[in-house]
Amino acid sequence: MAIVTMREALNQAIREEMQRDENVFLMGEEVGAYQGAYKVTKGLLEELGPKRVIDSPITELGFAGLGVGAAMVGLRPIIEFMTFNFSILATDQIINSAAKMLYMSGGQFNIPIVFRGPGGSAFQVSSQHSQALESWFAYFPGLKVVMPSTPADAKGLLKSSVRDNDPVIFIEQERMYGSKGEVSDDPELTIPLGVADIKREGKDVTIVARSLMVPVALKAADLLEKDGVSCEVIDPRTIRPLDIKTIIESVKKTNRVVVAEESHPFCGVAAEIASEIMERAFDYLDAPVKRLSGADVPMPYAKNLEDAAIPNVDQLVAAVKEVAYIE
Amino acid sequence: MRKRTPEPTRVGAEDTSATGLMDQDSAEDADARLDPAEAEALKAAQKSRFAELDRATLQSIYRQMLLARRFEEKSAEAYSTGKIGGFCHLYIGQEAVAIGAISAIGKDDYVLTSYREHAHAIAKGMSPDSVMAELYGKAGGCSHGKGGSMHMFDKEVNFLGGHAIVGGQIPLATGVAFATKYKETDQVTLCFFGEAAVNQGAFHESLNMAQLWKLPCIYICENNQYGMGTSLERAMSLQDISQKACAYEIASEFVDGMDVLAVREATLRAVERARKNYLPTLLEVRTYRFMGHSMSDPGNYRTRAEIERHQERDPLKLYSASLKEEGVLSDSELQKIDDEVRAQVEQAVRFAEESPQPAPEELFTDIYADPIQANE
Ligand SMILES: Cc1ncc(C[n+]2csc(CCOP(=O)(O)OP(=O)(O)O)c2C)c(N)n1
Ligand SMILES: [Mg+2]
């Protein structure tokens, strides 16, 4: 065990998986010589060589599709988007090719590929470089969507994603690359996809939070503890398939739930979770399910406006108090 | 008036000025009736092609072309009686392209193409039974009824689809070629697409990567001169497609797509380049589709006369005439092949008719290779 950053944990996962399996290759913009736009791939070119760590031109649709084609015939690509904002150019290949190939081919061609990179809000880079796209990808059967919130989860989940035989969208929160935590150096330690993690146990209110909202939820829970409100914080970690069971079990215990997310509310993941809770645990609810989402606006540049667009600890505390009917 | 650029330079890492290339002028005329001198020249070229091939190969190419033709005639019939649904894009008129090109590769090599793929699938070695059953949406179909006309796949023979987003298969094929080079095999990948796909970014992005990384992919543009109802002239600023390869320093050739052996030879040259040196090639193969874009095409964007003019160079007619002339097949042998092929198609229809519908529970299979039951 060592304390490492999210960035370093991801780096370890990629390195270990590439050492383990020769069919894994890494491709993306600036992943090699430049050491990664966010230094996640630092040292990999030197260690694994240019055959396996490939700097691509700025050609997202092209290299995403190249990855899917390579996956059709036995390779296991890790395709890095410099940021997920640019995956938008590649969505045809992700959705129409990767997600549907197994189905359209009657089970003949599965696509073992990981599309990864930073996503969610960044620091003051305005609308085109700061957005959460998980609900887009999670919409499609055939894709798996993973969003880690700690270095340990990042490492274990990325390793599982590389070993998984389906296309995985792996979204790393851009603001969290520097966040630190304990990480195992056992190369065989993986975390299964589709399993939520209870980040904090509690009995009064359930907070479902993912990615950037997990540390926010933990802080809110600390504050609320002082007010005598015990919060259970559940991190689904995998958005699709969603471990709804763990969420429902918690709601049955607490009878109150807030779903926090930095993404837009409309047609979002929190909306989906809220509706699942309504369908599966309506009779257990003592208050309507509350969503706390990012503002329904493109991300602004100005610091004060940007801060106002992303849910914060105070807002989450207020949301919890609302469902707990506390003034 | 269509404008052609003067003399396209063909650039490549290797010399591509091989014999059998049509120059731009004769290429132009491939659309229309040939004048006697040109017809003579073509004939001479064809004679030398025949001399190089054994009887069995020449016959099998004919059989495949005819099988594709008869198969699709039957599909059209089945479509009109409602046995086949959805979109159904016929290949009639273009058979020389798929059959000629695929005759130049082996079983281990890969093929990817668009939604107009029945002939490619059969030429790659898929059974007509499973292709017809797929058209019928039956469990015995190659994709178990989940893909339909536009999504034929067969892992056994390395037929990798069947893709229905215009241009979508081009990056995929580039990736397949990337993988074969990565694994250091000598396999090559044929990637077919229509001329309208050339306007997609996917085409340009792929060619750039293919030459940048020296990938053994052969890009075969089937220029049938229309993307649905839009003629090439109305959609493309530079219509000399083979010339687009210059932008990426890829070797290219312009090929008469009504001459099956010309297609085969150009593909063989490209295959050699790919196998030996991991180099890509762009082939622009000029062809024409005799039927509508799909079964629901009103056909009001071109004249009957234009179609008939092209039908004079029906690739099957041209090839069967040469086979006779060269003494490879007699009239009665040609007839015998036709009888056999028709029987094969009848058998495919029987198979499709008798094959069961997919089981209802199939709706929920094949979504994930590693399903996770977390949300049950
Ligand atoms: C991205 C995309 N846009 C539009 C369509 C609808 N569409 C299907 S085929 C076609 C024409 C394509 O023509 P071409 O590439 O020349 O191939 P051909 O049909 O002539 O074989 C169009 C517009 C599509 N399938 N995909
Ligand atoms: Mg066309």
Side-chain angles (χ1 to χ4, degrees):
Chain A
M1 284 283 194
I3 305 274
V4 305
T5 60
M6 180 87 95
R7 170 185 287 116
E8 170 61 18
L10 292 162
N11 181 279
Q12 286 177 12
I14 299 171
R15 173 181 288 108
E16 288 172 14
E17 291 310 297
M18 289 186 74
Q19 282 165 344
R20 192 183 59 82
D21 183 351
E22 263 192 23
N23 286 328
V24 179
F25 72 91
L26 171 70
M27 178 179 281
E29 293 154 18
E30 312 292 1
V31 296
Y34 192 90
Q35 309 292 314
Y38 294 82
K39 301 290 174 278
V40 171
T41 58
K42 192 171 170 196
L44 296 179
L45 172 64
E46 200 182 3
E47 209 173 307
L48 295 150
K51 178 184 168 188
R52 307 198 45 208
V53 178
I54 301 141
D55 280 321
S56 75
I58 304 169
T59 191
E60 281 83 4
L61 175 68
F63 67 72
L66 181 150
V68 179
M72 286 181 86
V73 293
L75 298 190
R76 308 182 75 86
I78 301 176
I79 299 295
E80 172 170 320
F81 292 118
M82 186 181 278
T83 77
F84 260 94
N85 303 288
F86 318 135
S87 75
I88 292 173
L89 282 82
T91 45
D92 174 49
Q93 288 296 344
I94 297 172
I95 293 164
N96 279 317
S97 296
K100 296 168 185 177
M101 201 72 78
L102 185 66
Y103 199 80
M104 297 192 300
S105 67
Q108 294 182 77
F109 291 96
N110 65 300
I111 308 296
I113 193 169
V114 176
F115 295 104
R116 53 154 290 276
S121 59
F123 292 109
Q124 279 198 283
V125 286
S126 191
S127 308
Q128 294 180 337
H129 279 75
S130 209
Q131 58 194 320
L133 293 170
E134 61 268 27
S135 68
W136 273 33
F137 295 114
Y139 177 72
F140 291 99
L143 297 180
K144 292 172 179 171
V145 180
V146 178
M147 298 180 82
S149 69
T150 68
D153 285 353
K155 181 171 179 185
L157 289 166
L158 183 51
K159 287 167 73 76
S160 293
S161 300
V162 175
R163 297 181 192 193
D164 197 89
N165 287 310
D166 294 308
V168 178
I169 306 292
F170 193 95
I171 305 176
E172 302 150 12
Q173 217 300 336
E174 194 166 331
R175 294 176 173 222
M176 295 173 86
Y177 276 133
S179 70
K180 288 185 179 156
E182 280 211 334
V183 172
S184 162
D185 41 25
D186 175 4
E188 278 316 305
L189 197 81
T190 60
I191 294 173
L193 305 187
V195 180
D197 187 37
I198 301 172
K199 290 284 189 246
R200 175 187 174 119
E201 291 201 27
K203 56 183 185 13
D204 298 329
V205 177
T206 301
I207 303 175
V208 182
R210 61 184 187 273
S211 190
L212 185 65
M213 286 301 114
V214 174
V216 172
L218 291 173
K219 256 183 227 148
D222 277 346
L223 293 176
L224 286 157
E225 186 83 77
K226 289 173 193 143
D227 291 339
V229 183
S230 157
C231 292
E232 179 143 297
V233 177
I234 296 184
D235 176 1
R237 301 194 289 195
T238 306
I239 309 307
R240 185 194 262 265
L242 181 69
D243 180 1
I244 192 68
K245 250 196 212 150
T246 300
I247 296 171
I248 296 297
E249 272 162 29
S250 176
V251 171
K252 284 182 177 172
K253 180 173 72 176
T254 63
N255 315 111
R256 299 163 197 279
V257 59
V258 176
V259 188
E261 63 186 2
E262 60 169 309
S263 63
H264 305 304
F266 197 84
C267 296
V269 174
E272 175 63 25
I273 293 173
S275 122
E276 289 273 357
I277 294 169
M278 226 76 88
E279 287 172 3
R280 295 171 191 243
F282 183 78
D283 291 338
Y284 292 87
L285 289 172
D286 286 343
V289 177
K290 172 82 185 162
R291 282 184 295 160
L292 178 64
S293 305
D296 203 14
V297 301
M299 188 65 79
Y301 164 71
K303 189 77 199 120
N304 66 323
L305 296 181
E306 186 185 66
D307 286 346
I310 304 166
N312 58 30
V313 176
D314 292 345
Q315 287 168 323
L316 187 48
V317 167
V320 169
K321 286 185 172 170
E322 191 183 319
V323 300
Y325 301 122
I326 298 169
E327 284 306 300
Chain B
M1 265 303 285
R2 181 159 115 198
K3 239 181 118 191
R4 275 203 168 266
T5 43
E7 184 60 29
T9 343
R10 302 191 196 279
V11 195
E14 269 180 77
D15 177 34
T16 58
S17 61
T19 52
L21 283 187
M22 294 186 75
D23 65 31
Q24 286 306 302
D25 291 337
S26 58
E28 252 314 53
D29 286 340
D31 306 348
R33 269 166 266 200
L34 300 176
D35 76 36
E38 271 162 339
E40 270 315 303
L42 269 182
K43 227 184 208 162
Q46 208 157 51
K47 251 197 158 57
S48 77
R49 285 183 192 126
F50 267 81
E52 283 167 24
L53 284 172
D54 59 275
R55 247 180 108 81
T57 309
L58 290 166
Q59 281 192 24
S60 117
I61 289 172
Y62 179 70
R63 184 181 290 274
Q64 297 243 14
M65 284 173 76
L66 194 63
L67 176 58
R69 175 73 54 99
R70 298 285 178 250
F71 182 93
E72 289 215 313
E73 287 166 354
K74 205 70 195 174
S75 311
E77 232 178 273
Y79 192 91
S80 63
T81 58
K83 302 266 186 187
I84 297 173
F87 292 142
C88 186
H89 309 86
L90 299 184
Y91 195 60
I92 292 175
Q94 300 184 213
E95 294 92 339
V97 187
I99 281 92
I102 294 172
S103 80
I105 60 168
K107 185 166 185 257
D108 288 343
D109 297 314
Y110 293 103
V111 171
L112 292 89
T113 183
S114 72
Y115 44 83
R116 198 182 296 287
E117 90 276 42
H118 313 151
H120 305 72
I122 293 171
K124 191 67 180 79
M126 285 170 66
S127 94
D129 292 10
S130 76
V131 177
M132 189 62 86
E134 190 59 36
L135 289 172
Y136 272 62
K138 295 294 189 72
C142 55
S143 306
H144 306 319
K146 286 177 170 174
S149 168
M150 302 188 284
H151 303 298
M152 307 278 176
F153 291 85
D154 191 346
K155 203 167 194 167
E156 287 292 297
V157 300
N158 285 348
F159 187 78
L160 271 48
H163 302 272
I165 302 298
V166 169
Q169 72 274 26
I170 310 178
L172 294 174
T174 308
V176 173
F178 174 90
T180 58
K181 184 176 182 183
Y182 187 95
K183 294 191 250 180
E184 294 169 28
T185 75
D186 71 347
Q187 289 157 293
V188 304
T189 301
L190 298 192
C191 177
F192 296 87
F193 48 90
E195 84 295 336
V198 169
N199 292 329
Q200 288 280 34
F203 168 86
H204 297 274
E205 295 190 25
S206 296
L207 262 68
N208 182 51
M209 294 189 294
Q211 180 67 6
L212 184 67
W213 293 326
K214 306 285 187 280
L215 305 179
C217 194
I218 298 160
Y219 299 95
I220 302 179
C221 175
E222 302 200 42
N223 183 358
N224 63 10
Q225 305 166 51
Y226 288 90
M228 288 186 73
T230 304
S231 66
L232 184 63
E233 288 78 3
R234 290 172 55 220
M236 201 178 282
S237 56
L238 170 71
Q239 290 148 26
D240 180 355
I241 291 167
S242 62
Q243 208 189 356
K244 298 189 193 242
C246 301
Y248 307 102
E249 283 211 314
I250 288 186
S252 73
E253 288 195 31
F254 183 98
V255 188
D256 175 6
M258 294 310 198
D259 180 346
V260 67
L261 296 186
V263 177
R264 179 186 155 90
E265 284 190 357
T267 311
L268 280 170
R269 285 189 288 277
V271 166
E272 181 164 299
R273 215 173 281 137
R275 278 207 219 288
K276 273 202 189 145
N277 303 321
Y278 287 128
L279 285 172
T281 301
L282 172 65
L283 300 179
E284 178 190 354
V285 185
R286 182 63 66 93
T287 179
Y288 196 82
R289 72 171 150 70
F290 297 163
M291 313 292 278
H293 165 71
S294 69
M295 294 302 292
S296 55
D297 181 349
N300 53 9
Y301 50 86
R302 55 183 189 176
T303 61
R304 188 80 254 163
E306 178 184 312
I307 300 172
E308 281 166 4
R309 187 157 49 79
H310 284 281
Q311 279 172 333
E312 286 180 25
R313 297 197 71 239
D314 181 330
L316 264 162
K317 273 202 239 156
L318 289 187
Y319 189 50
S320 62
S322 310
L323 286 169
K324 273 201 297 189
E325 213 165 292
E326 297 299 319
V328 179
L329 289 169
S330 65
D331 272 325
S332 67
E333 285 168 320
L334 287 167
Q335 186 56 51
K336 186 163 165 274
I337 292 177
D338 199 3
D339 293 343
E340 287 164 3
V341 161
R342 282 176 195 275
Q344 221 180 333
V345 173
E346 286 305 329
Q347 156 58 29
V349 168
R350 246 189 333 271
F351 178 85
E353 296 272 359
E354 285 164 13
S355 176
Q357 289 187 327
E361 56 271 21
E362 282 297 307
L363 178 62
F364 295 106
T365 62
D366 303 327
I367 298 163
Y368 295 103
D370 294 337
I372 297 168
Q373 302 301 341
N375 48 352
E376 285 311 298

